[in-house]
């Protein structure tokens, strides 16, 4: 879906109500703005978390030693805890 939105002189833009509803932003909310060489990407916080998790899985899926639990266990062992 492609939509055109207008930006006011003070930098505000309004997302159409049906889009806000689909994104779960009907009562307001936050979007993450990512600038890329191709343009700007708007994501909800939940979408950004899912995107980050997908990127992490891409690099750590077949490496159990890359888990947070493994990292913390190694740090404890190194510190003598």
């Amino acid at each position: 879906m492609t939509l055109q939105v207008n930006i006011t002189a003070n930098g505000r833009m309004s997302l159409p109500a049906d889009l806000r509803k689909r994104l779960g932003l009907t009562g307001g909310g936050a979007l993450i703005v990512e600038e890329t060489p191709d343009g700007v990407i708007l994501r909800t916080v939940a979408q950004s978390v899912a995107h980050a998790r997908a990127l992490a899985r891409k690099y750590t899926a077949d490496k159990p030693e890359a888990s947070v639990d493994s990292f913390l266990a190694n740090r404890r062992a190194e510190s003598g805890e």
Side-chain angles (χ1 to χ4, degrees), residues 70-81:
S70 178
F71 172 78
L72 293 174
N74 287 338
R75 294 293 294 170
R76 284 187 194 103
E78 289 171 3
S79 69
E81 270 187 47

Side-chain angles (χ1 to χ4, degrees), residues 24-46:
L25 300 172
T26 55
L31 292 174
I32 305 296
V33 179
E34 179 182 350
E35 182 180 7
T36 72
D38 292 327
V40 175
I41 298 172
L42 299 175
R43 289 189 179 103
T44 64
V45 173

